[in-house]
């Protein structure tokens, strides 16, 4: 019995010694990777589209005459500076015989935390702070419009390949928002799923290069008594000029 306890004791000491030696090496390797990886600092203005589908959710309590529903192409303009991305979209749609307006404005900050890789290729954990304002007019009064602001945080997974001629990245993430209606005291939550693929071409002879990309955004809202329970699905492409 004593021999078995002694073996366990020495095994534990040996394991602790190995871990104590391995841990600093692992930390040093991570720090070396972190130092070698540099998040993109590209700056570009872009233009693109969202194919936007906006519908009431099953929990929506608005009457059929006041509910908002449309599918339209929404033109977008954007500006990105490193980790900060601004987007603005506007379109109109027909609802109950009249033209209505839809607006989307979003600001997203993304911080990259490297999981593995180096400056050339890396798997990254993005930390996201996202704020947006969404407006979709109804056939009723101002209080029947969907005028909702949201702010939230999220994370996901990102892969980046950074070469001399192409800097390519693809990301998918989930975000949870706190949401509030612009004309009442109703508040609620708004989960979102986003995805993006971007190719930066610095060697193209237009200013500092071109940016091409694809965006996807799904967002659903649950507010107050269900009057503003909607969901939207958006996807589209964009092209930008780096400067």
């Amino acid at each position: 019995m004593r021999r078995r306890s002694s073996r366990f004791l020495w095994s534990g000491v040996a394991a602790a010694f190995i871990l104590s030696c391995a841990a600093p090496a692992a930390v040093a390797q991570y720090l070396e990777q972190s130092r070698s990886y540099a998040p993109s600092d590209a700056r570009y203005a872009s233009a693109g589209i969202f194919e936007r589908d906006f519908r009431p959710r099953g929990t929506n309590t608005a009457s059929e005459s006041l509910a908002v529903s449309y599918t339209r192409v929404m033109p977008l303009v954007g500006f990105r500076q490193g980790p900060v991305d601004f987007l603005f979209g506007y379109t109109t749609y027909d609802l109950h015989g009249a033209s209505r307006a839809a607006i989307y404005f979003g600001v997203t900050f993304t911080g990259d935390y490297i999981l593995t890789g180096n400056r050339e290729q890396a798997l990254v954990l993005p930390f996201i702070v996202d704020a947006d304002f969404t407006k979709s007019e109804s056939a009723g009064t101002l209080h029947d419009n969907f005028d909702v602001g949201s702010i939230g945080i999220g994370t996901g997974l990102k892969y980046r390949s950074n070469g001399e001629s192409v800097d390519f990245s693809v990301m998918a993430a989930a975000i949870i928002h706190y949401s509030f209606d612009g004309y009442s005291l109703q508040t609620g939550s708004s989960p979102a799923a986003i995805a993006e693929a971007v190719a930066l071409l610095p060697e193209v002879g237009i200013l500092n290069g071109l940016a091409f990309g694809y965006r996807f955004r799904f967002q659903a809202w649950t507010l107050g008594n269900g009057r503003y329970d909607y969901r939207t699905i958006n996807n589209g492409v964009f092209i930008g000029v780096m400067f």
Side-chain angles (χ1 to χ4, degrees):
M1 191 71 177
R2 288 184 178 178
R3 290 181 179 178
R4 184 176 297 177
S5 300
S6 179
R7 283 199 299 267
F8 285 150
L9 176 61
W10 285 109
S11 297
V13 171
F17 177 76
I18 292 171
L19 288 174
S20 67
C21 293
V27 171
Q29 182 180 5
Y30 178 80
L31 291 175
E32 183 179 352
Q33 289 176 343
S34 300
R35 283 193 295 267
S36 65
Y37 178 80
S40 173
D41 61 353
R43 178 177 63 185
Y44 56 86
S46 66
I49 59 169
F50 261 162
E51 184 180 0
R52 182 175 180 85
D53 184 71
F54 188 89
R55 305 280 169 189
R57 299 180 61 203
T59 54
N60 190 290
T61 58
S63 65
E64 185 176 346
S65 62
L66 296 178
V68 181
S69 179
Y70 61 89
T71 300
R72 292 288 291 173
V73 172
M74 173 181 279
L76 289 168
V77 293
F79 172 76
R80 176 169 291 184
Q81 172 69 69
V84 184
D85 191 25
F86 297 87
L87 278 179
F88 176 79
Y90 176 84
T91 192
T92 60
Y93 53 93
D94 293 328
L95 185 67
H96 299 303
S99 179
R100 316 292 178 181
I103 294 173
Y104 169 76
F105 175 70
V107 182
T108 304
F109 171 86
T110 305
D112 286 355
Y113 297 90
I114 185 170
L115 296 174
T116 183
N118 50 42
R119 182 180 293 270
E120 286 74 32
Q121 294 191 44
L123 191 63
V124 175
L125 182 73
F127 174 73
I128 298 169
V129 178
D130 183 77
D132 70 86
F133 170 75
T134 300
K135 177 183 181 70
S136 292
E137 293 182 315
S138 78
T141 66
L142 287 176
H143 293 279
D144 298 308
N145 292 341
F146 185 86
D147 290 288
V148 175
S150 304
I151 183 167
I153 59 173
T155 189
L157 203 59
K158 176 179 179 179
Y159 169 76
R160 183 176 174 211
S161 175
N162 183 19
E164 292 185 2
S165 58
V166 180
D167 184 348
F168 173 77
S169 64
V170 58
M171 179 190 72
I175 305 170
I176 184 65
H177 299 87
Y178 170 77
S179 298
F180 44 91
D181 175 59
Y183 289 99
S184 72
L185 298 178
Q186 296 190 59
T187 62
S189 62
S190 174
I194 63 172
E196 182 183 72
V198 181
L200 305 177
L201 309 176
E203 294 187 352
V204 176
I206 301 176
L207 294 181
N208 290 341
L210 293 181
F212 295 93
Y214 166 82
R215 298 186 185 99
F216 170 85
R217 185 180 184 95
F218 168 85
Q219 191 166 0
W221 294 267
T222 302
L223 275 83
N225 60 9
R227 187 177 178 182
Y228 302 108
D229 288 9
Y230 285 90
R231 67 98 177 123
T232 182
I233 300 174
N234 311 268
N235 68 93
V237 296
F238 68 90
I239 182 171
V241 179
M242 299 165 63
F243 59 96

